[in-house]
Amino acid sequence: MRLDGLPFLLTVDDAVWSFDSNRPTYASRFGELAPHLPHRFINLEIMSALKLNLISEPHLCIEFRVEEFAKTLPDLIDDKPFFDPEGSYPVGNLDKFLQPYKTESHNWLVTFWSFLQQFIAGTSPEHDKENIAALLSPLTNCCLLPVLENDKELLYPLGKASAVIPQQFGADGLNKEIISILHKHGVAQPNTKYIYSTQIGLTAEIMRLTGCMFGGIQQPHSVLQALTLLLRKKSLNDHLDKSEGLSVLRYLSANINSLKSGDDIRSTVKALPFFINFCDKQISLEGKSVYVLQQDIPNIDMDICMEKQNITILKSDYSLRPLFEYLQCEWLTVEQAYCKVIFKDFSNLSLGGQQMHMKYVGNYLSSFRHSHSEESDMKRQQFFERIRSLAFIPKVGHGQLFPPSEFYDPGNKIFKIIHEDDKFPPEPYNKLEWLSILRDCGLVTDLTNEMLLAYAKMVAANAQQGLTPILIDQSKALTDHVLTTVSGQGIAENFTESIKQIKFVVPGNVTEPLERLHPQFGDRYSNNSLRFISFHNSVLHKHQELVWTVQNLIPEWINNYAVHKITKVNEMLEALGVLLDPDIKSVAVNAENIFQSFKQSSLEEKRRKVEILEEVSIKLFEHLSKFSSNDKTANNILSRTPCVLIKETFTLVRPTQIAIDVKSEEEIKPHLYKLPNEFGKYVAFLQDLGATNEFTAAQFAMVLAEINKGSREQELNPEDIRACCKAMKGLMTMVKSGQSFSEDLFLLCQDRKLHHYSDVAFADNESDLKRIKEFKRPLLIDAGFLRLLHIEMKESLQDLSQLKKIKFVSEIVREVVTPGQNVPCEFANKMTTRLKNPVFLNGFERIVRHCLTLPANQAKITNVDETCTGIVRVLKGIQIFGRDRVLTHFTYEGERIENSENVVPFFVENTSAGGCNSLKVYISSTVFFSESDFSETLAKAINKLALELLTPSMCELSSIFYRPIAGINEYLNGRKIRETGTDATSSFCPTLGTRVPRDVQHLLIQDEFVFYPQQLVAFELDDPFDRNERGLPTFILVEVCARLDADNPSAPILSAKYRIRVNREGEEKTVQASCLYAFARSRETPNLQQTAIVISTRPENAENENTFRQTDAENSRENDESKQRSLIDIVEEMKRLLKEASSQSPEELKKIIRRLCLKWHPDKNLNQKELSTEVFQILQHLIERLKKGESIDDYKISKDTDQASASGASYTRTDTEFDDFFDRMGERARQYDRQQENYRQSSSRRNTSGYHHSNHDYEDFFRGFTHQPNPQPEEARRWMRQAKHDLRSAVNDGTSGLSPSFDWMCIKCFEASKIAIRAVQYARDSNKMPEFAESLTSLSSDLNDSEISCLCRELDSLITSIGHLKYPSQHGFPQVPCDLYREEKATSAYQLSDQIYERCSRIIEAADDEFD
């Protein structure tokens, strides 16, 4: 930047300028090349003086290079032709642009080439070609190359320098000739006077420069470029003779490898007008396909071929072959020449031309005739292949020539039967020697699939107009060819898909009987003959009986192929869509068509058709039974089709109207039938279609629906009425046995019409029948019509209502009180007073609350208090009226039913006012009635208004209406109805009658015999000791009601009797005190010295309290548990009890002894073994004395020493009679001891101890009765004894001589199995005893024993139900159970029941062992 802006710049025009870095100047001695820009060239002396560096200071001065020169040219020479890359420019035209600057064109051009030399000087010649091309590239389009063209001085664009051919003095031969030809016709030469000056001469740099730029004879591309320029200037047109042109072509052919490949070069060569065609004319090859033919081929009329086909044909010249191949000319053989060129326009040739060419072809073919070489045969065959389309054969009646391919081989039978005579070669070409040649030349000999398709379509189209013998022959010939010839060649999928749809096949006709039974399927002509059919979806003729009404049958003669199982033919038939085996749905539809047609025939026609129909039916059933099981569509069609023939009546019925295992008298003709014998082998098939073993509820409903449809709401005739009655009874029987159905239902009514079930009503109260005769709604027929009792029909209709809601008269007819005068009535006043009594109201509320808190009702209500208040409000709103006579009548939909009046002793009427329901009670003052009946009726009415929420306590509810007011609370207490206000969850509510669990029997107090009312105690049902057997006793939970001798305190306690309640139903019984046991519960077993035997008396205030309280002795025992009792006191108490027991019966004495022994046995009291051993030895001694009849009063224990002192007192037993008893007692004591230990461990978390007797204290204890398993093996064994007895009895029934009762044998086996299963349930948990179930499978479901479940299912399937075994009504008339249950079933039932018994025995034994 040191000179930027300084005025030190002196240019060649001697002007001074300031240096400007934005506009550097040029440093060059060739500034005269840009004479219009002298100010842009720096004075070289100044440049040297200023020491400017072109490299380091390019912003001030730059070198003047070719690129910079190229930029200055457009401003100097403003002439577009000078810059035309394809043109030329006269040298003289430069002067007008240079003279203004006093520059001559000659000097300027010489300076330019000198300018170029400086860039060559000093460089290596090795890369001159690339370097010079790069140097000149900015000037490629500029006309700066001086040349001489026909003595004209011109400038060529530098890019065309290669088209300039200098004179080469050393050339000879063809090259010399080509140079001469080129220059003769105007190819440019270099004009050297403008390239270098004579003063300087030809420098090495100029020679290097021009040598790389100019073309030469050794460069075919430059020659070709020079020729191209001549063509553009049209200098060659009509100026180059054939020899010159041929020389140029030969030069190019000889140098073809030096030419660059590419479409541009190839097009350039083709454009040369030097080529000689087949007609000896010079032409170019532009725009046409070029063929090269052998020279010996006649050239006559070849111009016609070239003109018609727009092609060029050249004569073969092997010297030019490289060039022809380079130009992609097609070199044709003789065969190719004729087939591809000459024969194409053979018809356009002159007659002479045709004859000459055919003569040549003949001669050519003859040259191969005697040659048997493989090559000759191949050439001959190739030529034959190529002249197939040559038209040289005349066609009869046309006067024209046609190629062999237009004619068909007369030896093919399909061609012969399909085509007319003019389609075959005429004489002499139909001779054998000609045919062999024509077959090689394209005569149509092979029948292709496409031709077959065309022939088939032609036959199908012609057949639309009607059948002729020739059409039938054509159809058969084509069909046979397709199945035999084509199938043998392999199956083409496209062909079969196309031809199988074409209707060209003669259909197969069914036999005359089948045609009479039903017309054959298919389109017909007006004369009723069948039209042609297609292969697709047709069926083999041998299956005609299966599908003739729904599908086409192929001709019968084709059966031979299928019968003989010709594999290829069968494969072809399948590919053509022919069904070798008919589709099962089509067979079903065919059956439907046949049977419907028969059904619509007249009676006379049916008589004629019935035999063939029977034969066809058997064949149809035979086929359908094999293949229809998995086809739901076919089964649906057949199930709705009347396809079962009742031959004797010419009737067809649906499979759903058929039952297999029924008697003839069970049929309901013409609706339900027994399966005809001839169809017996198709039972399984018919069952799939809806046939049943016995008539079902759905079938009976179908009968009623069919009769209703036919009756059209008219009265039924007697035959239909009988059928309806039979169907209704059967329907009810099936529904009662558990069957269901979905069909619509119509029922026979008293008006002798069928009505929809939703429109009818049944008089469920038989006594109402006379009162509702004027009822508008249709009433069902009386039970007598169905041979049923009224109650049986009612029960059946109730069962039916689970499926189809039948309206009962009691549900839709309302009985109301007929208006009348109210009168005073004592019972009405009494009941009105009771309803207001607080005690009664409290009892009522207790019952309501009890029911509302039951689990079954909790899901039905949201608020117990609100619901209870509403129900009590209903009670308080009851109005009771007296009448002399209570008269009622029926109303239906608000209208009175005439003649429905009735006199009743009382009537409860439900009335509604203001949206609230209330009860009005009318009581007759003159008619006697039962209070319990009245109470029950009123309770039911209240429960109905309470939405049936009070159902669980209906017994208690009806009872409080007639029980004394004072006894209501006691009664409800006994029924375990809680007081109002108590929490339902706080009561343990043990169920009376529950068996005491075995594992708490050790908690029974053995030496307590005084009990108080409402105390829960254990009652001994059984003790194996009484039978000298081992095992634990059985106890049940009971409630003490009262002591019967409570008014006599001095009465012996062991002789006392108690009234106890043994179950929740209130059953009571009287028992001895020795049979009752109080419960004790503590965390630790009480010390024996703390538990003296208690003899209690009744408290003085017992009369005023309704219950006993604990006696003083009991209070003393509980309050002074820590006090030690002496052995003397214990012995004295035992003596007192033994003396009292000895005055009772021997059984009572034995029971007391057993209880005392169990109390003091050492094995039961291991924690106090010393005391218990001593007491037990004394007890044994006292028992022996009693047995000997000796007194025990003198038996004493010294108070000082606590030892026994009495005459004969001994602690060692001398009598062994009780040995077995004490052994068994020891075993039980040890069991109780184990129970005690287990109980102590499980009760370690409890905080209570001591003995408890009140209900509340027992709460936790008794809750375990139902919340833990409670096995009762003794009870289980008791049930098993009964089961075993029933089995023995069953055997007796089956082997009782002349009249065995096999049905009762089945009943007893069934009951024995039930009892055995019940026994297992007792052995596992008596708290979870399910209700008796009708089904063994249901009863055994809780056992979780697969063996028993399997046996029960088998026995259930053998014996449907006990009702099925007992009642004739469970069977179709006239059968009774004993007809069905015979020896075979009875034997099977016994075997199954015996297995169930044995399995149950093993389970019970295992459960007992586990407990022990």
Side-chain angles (χ1 to χ4, degrees), residues 1250-1267:
Y1251 298 89
H1252 307 278
H1253 301 281
S1254 68
N1255 285 355
H1256 292 295
D1257 291 337
Y1258 278 136
E1259 177 178 338
D1260 291 339
F1261 174 67
F1262 286 115
R1263 186 174 287 115
F1265 275 35
T1266 55
H1267 287 73

Side-chain angles (χ1 to χ4, degrees), residues 706-721:
E706 287 182 351
I707 295 175
N708 173 72
K709 185 177 180 180
S711 68
R712 299 179 181 177
E713 300 183 359
Q714 302 298 316
E715 284 192 15
L716 304 181
N717 57 46
E719 183 179 349
D720 284 342
I721 289 176

Side-chain angles (χ1 to χ4, degrees), residues 371-380:
S371 175
H372 300 289
S373 67
E374 183 177 346
E375 182 180 1
S376 299
D377 291 341
M378 184 176 66
K379 285 187 176 182
R380 183 172 183 269

Side-chain angles (χ1 to χ4, degrees), residues 786-797:
L786 307 183
R787 298 183 181 179
L788 294 174
L789 297 176
H790 186 82
I791 184 63
E792 292 177 324
M793 186 169 179
K794 179 178 178 180
E795 291 173 353
S796 298
L797 289 172

